[in-house]
Amino acid sequence: MKNPNPFFLFAIITVISLSCTHTEKETDSVAAMPVYDDVPYLQDYAIKYDCEDENTTLSKVFMDRNGVIQVASSEGILRTHDGQFLYPGQLVKDKTYRPLTDKNVKGMCVYQEQFVYVDDTAVFSNAWAGTLYLKHDLPKAYMVTSGEGFDFMISDGASLEFLSKSKVTWNGELMDDTIKDILYDKTGKKFWVLGEKSVANFDTVTNEFKTTMQGDAFTAFAFNNSDLIIGTSSGYLVVDSSSGKQIGDRHIELPATEITDVETIDGQLWFGSTQGAFKLREDGIDYYYGKRWLPSNRVEHISKGTDGSILILTNNGLGQIVFEKMTLFDKAQYYEKQVRDRHIRYGFNASLVDLDNGDIDSGRLSDSDNDGLWTTMYLAGEVFRYAVTGSEEALQNCRESMDAMERLFSINPVPGFPSRSFDRSGYIDVLHDPERWQNSSDPEWDWKATTSSDEAIGHIFAYGAMAELMDNELKDRAIILIDTLMSHVVRNDLYMVDYDGKPTTWGRWNPEYVNSRPKMVGDRKINSSNIIGMLQTAYHFTGKEKYKEKAFDLMENHGYLENLMYPMAKVANAPDDADDWSKMLSESWNHSDDEMYFVGYWGLYNYAFNDTLKAKYKKAIIDHWEIERPEKEGLWNIMTALTGTPEFDLDEAVWYLREHPMDLITWDIENSHRKDIVMIAPNFREQTTREVLPPDERRIQRHNANMFQLDKLGGDGTEEYSAGDIWLLPYWMGRYLGVIGGPVHEGKARKAM
């Protein structure tokens, strides 16, 4: 979490009993579970303002006491127009004061939270009834910095001039150097001047000007207590301001090393660079890169707004980083609206595609091979929401998604076979994708075939949760679909058989297929784990012996229990003598399999046939979780909590939920250039760094992707993902399991919502 207030850096974890919404049995099994108290924290997001004229040079940005934002530019003073989260505004000519527009203003600063300008003749302001007007002798001045008592230092890059309402004017220059920046030190009552090759200061009491150190490639500087932090083209230096001596070595372990600005804000160092902006924390770095945060990555200036926001001016516009106090519940409420507003397609949980540079009003809803899976994950989240809150809105959301899920079965001619998706005829080019898209009996509709195993396990997970937690007609509808799907699978010898009478590529749980994979190939373990969980779920809710008999046959006669208990640490590449299919399946770790495993654990653990099996399943789940811990994946940690183990990294799950960006647009992201991350050797799991980056510093991705992928390039801002499966499922599941509490006002007791 990019959080200026250290108080909010840590989740408040307490050991308490579960909410009374759970049954006595559930409460007893997890009574010692840790619980996150959902107190407010600071959530960051960006409001962006674009500069339409690419020839305009932007230099400084400030906010005054009234909340007005102004930008100094080569075209005079600009101000922000429009602009809100996900709806960029613009930087436009400020015409508020007509005399200001006629002046040749080239620079600005703030003094006493009021705007102060420098043009070719004077330093002046519209505040203080316009009484500030100090003439100068630098007609090309573009830098102005305020001191105390209406003192100012200005520069044109070569010369300096000190101006004051009450003191003697002074002028001078840095010999053989170009002036880059000016600071004021209130403690020493000095203006400090940074050149490309030197640092000097001017004493406002004695009018003494002296050079304190020499160097090279200086770009910007700031005070941090008594130290000078000097940005360079290759990192930054820390210098003792009293002696002019460098302290320690050059600092280069940064996200970007070509520094363009340095600022101290609320005791923390902020850096602008040619590759975004970043803030140093005691325990790490917060990195703002890409259009999620900024109009462009070359930062010109950073300042703090009077409203607590951080203003990051780039060469193409302004990124205002807003810190809003909210709870996880507040964030969930925003995401619920995001899903309903623009991510529901015929009841499916869908993506918004074909966006024009992130414009969410320019996109369209798209079908997906995984419409069933993404929808079941959203549906399950809404089931948990309903179980926790009794929300009528959640109930209606469940009904609408259930309508879509039921139609996946009825729109095709194959008994018990769920389509991948469907759409109106004429909007899908069926002839160019004849394997997937088929005409239905209704000429108005087409359906998508080739349904895979990840779809199937998603169906059973959501229907199982619904059958267990709903007390209305949805319970019966869910049980019917469980029976419908699993009857198809059992009837077809543990295959999903498509319209052509052949098994689909991935819907295969038959022992002949599963056990033809070597033991270290992940598909052998995942298919065994999934089908046992699916059969257990079907038996639990239908009572039909065929499901129980088939499950025990697989475990006792075909080694499926041994398969699903196979240690995750031993999953690896197929041996040289394996078949080509097995080699293809095991080229690297399959993160889609992780999603299928954990979604399937709901039925595997909850509906175990007996306590002996349940204990084994728990061991397998925790064994898998141990492998996944470096990813700090919110859903995997929350789902592991269903076993009742108190050790499931709740703090990391909350970290995932809090750190996840509000903006779910697929902006381009680059991290491979960063010097602050520790790379590790190539490996089977494709873990690239020692520590995973926060979700708001990496690409937008679902749970089936590699959390250690550093870069995402191509299709910048062309798609918005739904929070339904990405965020709402782990949050509401955590609420249902009782490991995430309801929102709590600071200083008050836990409050159920």
Side-chain angles (χ1 to χ4, degrees):
M1 167 63 200
K2 299 187 171 64
N3 192 333
N5 189 338
F7 173 77
F8 294 104
L9 285 174
F10 304 97
I12 299 177
I13 307 298
T14 58
V15 179
I16 64 173
S17 62
L18 289 181
S19 165
C20 61
T21 57
H22 296 287
T23 65
E24 182 178 350
K25 180 179 179 181
E26 290 168 333
T27 303
D28 289 344
S29 67
V30 290
M33 298 287 276
V35 180
Y36 170 71
D37 278 336
D38 190 15
V39 297
Y41 66 98
L42 293 182
Q43 175 69 53
D44 52 352
Y45 59 86
I47 300 175
K48 291 165 285 187
Y49 301 89
D50 298 321
C51 183
E52 291 189 336
D53 186 352
E54 61 182 17
N55 295 318
T56 299
T57 300
L58 309 176
S59 57
K60 295 289 183 180
V61 61
F62 296 101
M63 180 188 291
D64 73 359
R65 62 182 297 271
N66 303 310
V68 175
I69 298 173
Q70 288 188 340
V71 173
S73 79
S74 58
E75 301 303 315
I77 298 300
L78 310 178
R79 67 177 294 159
T80 56
H81 169 69
D82 244 355
Q84 56 183 298
F85 178 53
L86 297 182
Y87 291 90
Q90 297 175 333
L91 296 179
V92 299
K93 188 80 170 179
D94 192 331
K95 300 179 180 179
T96 309
Y97 283 86
R98 188 170 64 178
L100 185 64
T101 63
D102 294 333
K103 291 181 178 294
N104 188 26
V105 176
K106 293 300 181 184
M108 66 181 297
C109 66
V110 288
Y111 177 61
Q112 297 179 357
E113 297 186 341
Q114 303 281 9
F115 295 131
V116 175
Y117 312 102
V118 61
D119 67 0
D120 50 6
T121 60
V123 171
F124 66 96
S125 177
N126 294 316
W128 307 288
T131 57
L132 174 60
Y133 191 85
L134 301 173
K135 287 190 174 184
H136 64 72
D137 296 315
L138 297 179
K140 295 183 180 181
Y142 61 89
M143 297 184 215
V144 57
T145 298
S146 61
E148 297 178 85
F150 290 92
D151 294 347
F152 299 91
M153 179 76 80
I154 66 171
S155 175
D156 58 6
S159 300
L160 295 158
E161 188 167 349
F162 170 68
L163 303 170
S164 175
K165 273 190 170 185
S166 59
K167 299 174 185 175
V168 177
T169 299
W170 172 92
N171 58 65
E173 62 181 25
L174 289 183
M175 298 300 294
D176 300 321
D177 205 352
T178 299
I179 298 169
K180 303 295 292 183
D181 204 357
I182 306 171
L183 290 176
Y184 181 71
D185 174 21
K186 184 176 181 179
T187 302
K189 299 187 182 305
K190 295 178 181 179
F191 281 98
W192 287 77
V193 181
L194 180 75
E196 287 185 350
K197 299 177 292 184
S198 65
V199 178
N201 64 62
F202 172 76
D203 191 318
T204 62
V205 177
T206 64
N207 274 18
E208 180 184 6
F209 183 81
K210 65 178 181 180
T211 299
T212 60
M213 72 170 292
Q214 302 288 334
D216 186 46
F218 296 160
T219 58
F221 69 157
F223 272 103
N224 186 32
N225 298 318
S226 62
D227 295 332
L228 277 175
I229 310 299
I230 303 176
T232 75
S233 59
S234 56
Y236 73 92
L237 312 175
V238 181
V239 175
D240 185 320
S241 62
S242 60
S243 66
K245 301 295 185 181
Q246 182 178 330
I247 303 172
D249 298 324
R250 183 183 296 264
H251 293 253
I252 59 173
E253 293 180 354
L254 304 170
T257 57
E258 190 173 351
I259 304 302
T260 58
D261 188 34
V262 186
E263 304 290 340
T264 300
I265 299 175
D266 296 331
Q268 294 179 305
L269 284 172
W270 284 80
F271 291 86
S273 77
T274 56
Q275 293 177 296
F278 51 92
K279 179 186 70 176
L280 302 190
R281 306 189 320 264
E282 289 186 4
D283 59 344
I285 293 176
D286 291 334
Y287 189 30
Y288 295 90
Y289 175 97
K291 291 183 180 178
R292 178 180 298 159
W293 302 107
L294 308 171
S296 60
N297 285 319
R298 180 179 176 83
V299 176
E300 305 295 344
H301 182 227
I302 302 173
S303 67
K304 180 183 177 181
T306 53
D307 62 355
S309 65
I310 302 298
L311 308 177
I312 303 177
L313 186 67
T314 74
N315 61 319
N316 286 344
L318 170 66
Q320 181 182 11
I321 311 302
V322 178
F323 298 90
E324 182 176 333
K325 185 174 287 189
M326 64 173 58
T327 61
L328 291 181
F329 178 76
D330 295 329
K331 194 170 184 177
Q333 294 301 97
Y334 165 76
Y335 280 144
E336 293 285 356
K337 292 179 181 178
Q338 185 247 19
V339 175
R340 303 311 301 183
D341 181 50
R342 52 185 183 273
H343 289 283
I344 299 299
R345 188 186 74 91
Y346 306 131
F348 293 125
N349 175 43
S351 292
L352 199 65
V353 302
D354 293 344
L355 274 61
D356 179 12
N357 194 32
D359 179 359
I360 58 176
D361 292 330
S362 67
R364 65 175 179 85
L365 289 166
S366 175
D367 71 274
S368 162
D369 276 2
N370 295 112
D371 273 344
L373 177 59
W374 308 145
T375 304
T376 55
M377 295 178 77
Y378 167 63
L379 176 58
E382 293 300 288
V383 170
F384 294 131
R385 177 188 175 195
Y386 176 72
V388 171
T389 67
S391 165
E392 286 297 319
E393 180 185 77
L395 180 59
Q396 182 59 26
N397 294 344
C398 291
R399 288 187 173 119
E400 292 181 14
S401 289
M402 196 61 170
D403 288 343
M405 299 307 295
E406 288 172 329
R407 197 174 186 207
L408 288 176
F409 289 85
S410 64
I411 200 170
N412 73 69
V414 185
F417 183 83
S419 311
R420 284 187 181 271
S421 186
F422 56 76
D423 209 335
R424 296 184 185 277
S425 298
Y427 292 91
I428 300 294
D429 192 349
V430 174
L431 294 178
H432 284 79
D433 195 2
E435 181 184 10
R436 285 181 171 82
W437 282 102
Q438 303 294 315
N439 299 125
S440 74
S441 57
D442 184 341
E444 295 295 322
W445 293 90
D446 298 322
W447 64 281
K448 186 179 280 191
T450 71
T451 308
S452 63
S453 54
D454 52 354
E455 300 290 295
I457 192 62
H459 281 261
I460 298 303
F461 163 56
Y463 305 151
M466 183 175 286
E468 180 173 333
L469 302 178
M470 290 296 191
D471 55 359
N472 48 47
E473 85 285 355
L474 286 175
K475 179 183 183 75
D476 293 334
R477 291 167 66 181
I479 293 173
I480 289 172
L481 289 188
I482 292 172
D483 194 27
T484 298
L485 174 56
M486 293 311 298
S487 287
H488 172 94
V489 172
V490 171
R491 182 172 61 250
N492 288 288
D493 201 18
L494 300 184
Y495 290 106
M496 290 185 69
V497 175
D498 215 332
Y499 68 95
D500 57 3
K502 299 177 182 179
T504 64
T505 301
W506 302 108
R508 299 166 181 248
W509 301 277
N510 184 283
E512 183 179 353
Y513 172 82
V514 172
N515 288 334
S516 65
R517 311 275 81 78
K519 287 186 176 182
M520 77 287 296
V521 175
D523 271 46
R524 180 164 176 157
K525 177 179 172 70
I526 181 62
N527 286 345
S528 298
S529 178
N530 276 184
I531 191 62
I532 297 301
M534 293 161 69
L535 290 167
Q536 286 185 161
T537 302
Y539 175 74
H540 181 84
F541 290 108
T542 70
K544 294 183 178 180
E545 289 295 325
K546 64 179 180 180
Y547 300 126
K548 184 176 183 179
E549 291 171 0
K550 179 59 66 175
F552 274 104
D553 175 56
L554 293 173
M555 287 190 286
E556 294 174 351
N557 301 319
H558 298 283
Y560 275 39
L561 180 58
E562 180 184 354
N563 289 346
L564 71 86
M565 294 295 296
Y566 190 77
M568 273 290 177
K570 293 185 178 181
V571 173
N573 302 110
D576 292 339
D577 59 353
D579 62 284
D580 290 342
W581 189 255
S582 294
K583 290 180 180 178
M584 180 277 294
L585 290 172
S586 61
E587 288 176 348
S588 63
W589 193 270
N590 191 322
H591 296 276
S592 287
D593 282 0
D594 290 330
E595 184 171 61
M596 293 169 61
Y597 277 115
F598 279 97
V599 166
Y601 289 156
W602 177 267
L604 184 70
Y605 182 80
N606 283 333
Y607 311 129
F609 292 122
N610 55 57
D611 289 342
T612 300
L613 285 174
K614 195 166 192 175
K616 290 181 179 293
Y617 298 155
K618 180 176 181 177
K619 182 179 179 181
I621 294 169
I622 293 176
D623 172 70
H624 187 183
W625 167 75
E626 288 281 0
I627 289 289
E628 298 296 329
R629 293 184 74 179
E631 291 192 4
K632 300 183 181 181
E633 224 286 357
L635 186 56
W636 304 167
N637 279 301
I638 295 297
M639 284 184 158
T640 300
L642 69 87
T643 66
T645 176
E647 298 180 7
F648 59 92
D649 288 347
L650 175 59
D651 53 343
E652 306 294 15
V654 171
W655 174 85
Y656 170 92
L657 295 171
R658 288 173 55 166
E659 288 279 337
H660 215 282
M662 305 283 283
D663 182 345
L664 300 186
I665 295 172
T666 57
W667 300 111
D668 280 0
I669 295 293
E670 283 191 87
N671 286 294
S672 55
H673 63 273
R674 295 174 61 166
K675 303 297 191 296
D676 62 317
I677 56 179
V678 179
M679 306 294 291
I680 63 175
N683 53 81
F684 179 67
R685 285 190 57 83
E686 296 183 331
Q687 179 175 339
T688 56
T689 57
R690 187 170 63 193
E691 294 290 335
V692 70
L693 292 172
D696 61 356
E697 293 182 14
R698 59 185 190 233
R699 64 174 181 156
I700 293 297
Q701 58 196 81
R702 294 186 172 92
H703 303 288
N704 64 338
N706 181 6
M707 300 298 170
F708 285 93
Q709 183 171 329
L710 295 178
D711 301 337
K712 178 266 168 188
L713 299 175
D716 193 13
T718 59
E719 187 172 357
E720 184 189 51
Y721 282 11
S722 167
D725 51 291
I726 294 174
W727 199 94
L728 290 174
L729 174 57
Y731 171 74
W732 285 117
M733 191 177 196
R735 289 290 305 275
Y736 169 71
L737 293 175
V739 296
I740 296 177
V744 180
H745 296 293
E746 294 172 68
K748 295 186 178 181
R750 182 180 302 276
K751 178 182 177 184
M753 294 291 289

